Amino acid sequence: MSYFLENEEVVKEQETLQDEAGMQQENEQDGIASIEPLLDNRIVRAIREMGFEKLSPIQEQAIPYLLQGEDIIGQAQTGTGKTAAFGIPAIQHINPDVKKLQTIILCPTRELAIQAAEELRKIAKYMHGIKVLPVYGGQDISRQIAGLRGVQIIVGTPGRVMDHMRRHTIKLDLVNMVVLDEADEMLNMGFREDMELILGQIPGEHQTALFSATMPKPILEITDRFQKDAKLVKVAAKELTIPLVSQKFYRVKNQDKDAACVRLLEYYQPKLTLIFCNTKKKVDELADLLKQQGFQAEGLHGDLSQAQRDVAMNRFRNGGASILIATDVAARGIDVDDVEAVINYDIPQDIEYYVHRIGRTGRAGRKGRSFTFANSREIYKIREIERVCHTTITEKKLPGAAKVLKAKADKYLNNAWELHEHEDIELMKSFLQRKMEEEGCDALELAAAMLKYQVGDKGEEIAADEYAQRRGRFGERGRFGERGRFGRNDGEGRGFGRGDGRRRYSREDGDHRRFGRSDRDRRDDGSTGSGEDRRHRRDENREDGRKWGGRDKKAADRKYSGDRAEREVKKRKKREEPGIGNSFPKRKKS
């Protein structure tokens, strides 16, 4: 009996060891070891130093195809490791001995181009003789032209690459690989024509890799035209929530957003804050407003020169500015770990942008906050984000003016008391003592006056954008959306249009009644011009025998009948006269 038990234990132990060995082998296959035989040892050394241990799904699928020279279509979101997915094969294919352009990588923004170029340089760290250069607008083109000598890889924006092609400062004869990174974003920014011109100008056989988060029809048209037997590499969307970020939204009218933004900054007092707006104009306006309010704020958008963008980013990274206001496109490439709060001044048009925004806080194990402003007609967008991202965005009321004043006073007093512990303040005491003697006041009065001078008065309250929505058969927004069936809204969340849609409140007690155009103006005697009131007056006049409309009713009827008979006789005579009735065609009644 014991013999069989011992054998059974041995078998189980062997099975366990086999399972562990199989798991270890599987993990090795998922890691760098699976592609090591295909790569130069110097590239393997560099990517291991970069911390690569396991390939991401897009890297695992795309790298083997690209190393074999295949065209690919990669559908994956930002942040899935796409740069390494095309960067590792691109470096592998470069011939360091040939000092001419061999690879072109197109990116939608300057920040992405710079970021991708830096990562490619890290991959090529030990591949001596490989030169990578980012080219983008806003930079002195003469310096770029000088830097293009001996470059094998260009990472650039479509507009600037086209500019160099027109100037013949880049030669395409030896280009064997073209990468379109974030192709859908380049399409949204109006670069389709530039993308097609660049792809069409490359003369020889080459490999094309296209990466895009979405696949609209124009992207598919580009792939059909410029790729050959492309392999589709598709990665499922990542989970879009970030658990360490506290997400809240406030019902705020559009005209109160500026005041609400100032209030949150004064109340929570984050050290570093990112504020996102949907337009460049609003970025500039909000940056000016916050500077006037005493905040250290910088704006960032595509219309700024590269020098201005660099100054703004450096100030934000180094602590010279505590607030950075940006558009979604300009914010790509921002990588700052200490951001404590993100404010969505405007709700983004794309849910993915919302995820990218709030993902810039709560990094490296820290807790972060995100605040979103939404007017009453944008609440459905908040619900859509919650549904798609499987998250909860809690509705909160803005801090009251008294709470904000207290927070400002506490901050000032705490800073002052910290100074007291580390600095010699005897001289300051003498100044205060002399002032108290001059004014005949005590220390508490003087301190209160100084505090009020520092923190200011209590601000006005900001009313929430209350919106009494009515839930019906078709959910919160109703069957035809917030604006009703015919595109209008009665202010209470009920859409109305023609016909019985014109039902509104006509009395304070809330009675419903239908009315037409004449009902809008009530007469001096309290009646209206509705058909019901006219019938009521007519019936009263008939009962008491009074004249209605200034004439006796029967006389008016007789006169009308006589006039009508006389007109009929005249018409008949006119038709019977020869040569007149048919001499001219009848005119149509208007």
Side-chain angles (χ1 to χ4, degrees), residues 52 72 110 132 150 161 210 252 275 284 304 330 343 375 379 407 416 459 468 472 480 488 494 509 513 526 548 579:
F52 279 82
I72 71 162
R110 307 166 187 175
V132 181
V161 172
L210 182 146
V252 179
I275 302 176
D284 290 334
L304 300 178
I343 298 177
N375 62 43
I379 301 302
F480 298 102
R488 293 184 285 168
R494 291 178 290 276
D509 60 0
R513 59 188 304 277
W548 178 61

Side-chain angles (χ1 to χ4, degrees), residues 355-382:
V355 180
H356 297 329
R357 289 179 179 186
I358 68 171
R360 300 183 188 277
T361 183
R363 292 186 173 186
R366 302 181 183 91
K367 291 186 178 180
R369 303 175 185 270
S370 74
F371 308 110
T372 302
F373 297 148
N375 62 43
S376 56
R377 298 185 184 279
E378 293 176 323
I379 301 302
Y380 77 94
K381 296 182 180 179
I382 297 292

Side-chain angles (χ1 to χ4, degrees), residues 515-566:
F515 63 91
R517 186 174 301 170
S518 59
D519 290 308
R520 293 172 187 166
D521 299 321
R522 193 174 285 274
R523 297 183 178 183
D524 295 337
D525 60 357
S527 64
T528 66
S530 65
E532 184 179 352
D533 285 339
R534 289 198 300 272
R535 287 192 298 273
H536 181 67
R537 290 196 304 273
R538 182 185 64 194
D539 293 341
E540 286 182 349
N541 289 334
R542 280 180 175 174
E543 288 176 2
D544 59 13
R546 295 164 57 188
K547 289 182 179 180
W548 178 61
R551 295 182 301 213
D552 182 78
K553 184 67 172 62
K554 292 183 178 179
D557 289 343
R558 284 196 301 271
K559 186 176 187 306
Y560 178 76
S561 299
D563 292 344
R564 183 175 181 181
E566 186 178 349

Side-chain angles (χ1 to χ4, degrees), residues 82-132:
K82 290 183 295 181
T83 305
F86 62 74
I88 292 173
I91 299 296
Q92 177 69 26
H93 288 322
I94 295 297
N95 185 350
D97 298 329
V98 178
K99 304 299 182 181
K100 292 185 178 180
L101 181 62
Q102 300 172 44
T103 297
I104 295 177
I105 299 169
L106 299 179
C107 299
T109 66
R110 307 166 187 175
E111 287 75 20
L112 279 179
I114 294 171
Q115 187 177 339
E118 289 176 355
E119 188 159 354
L120 287 170
R121 285 169 180 159
K122 291 177 183 178
I123 297 171
K125 179 179 179 180
Y126 298 107
M127 297 285 290
H128 301 296
I130 293 182
K131 189 175 178 182
V132 181

Side-chain angles (χ1 to χ4, degrees), residues 309-329:
R309 295 157 76 96
D310 291 341
V311 168
M313 279 303 306
N314 290 334
R315 289 199 66 211
F316 186 62
R317 284 196 177 101
N318 301 331
S322 59
I323 301 168
L324 184 66
I325 309 157
T327 57
D328 289 295
V329 174

Side-chain angles (χ1 to χ4, degrees), residues 289-309:
L289 172 71
L290 294 182
K291 287 176 183 176
Q292 293 171 7
Q293 296 289 328
F295 294 99
Q296 295 175 326
E298 291 289 341
L300 188 69
H301 56 71
D303 287 349
L304 300 178
S305 68
Q306 187 59 37
Q308 292 173 316
R309 295 157 76 96

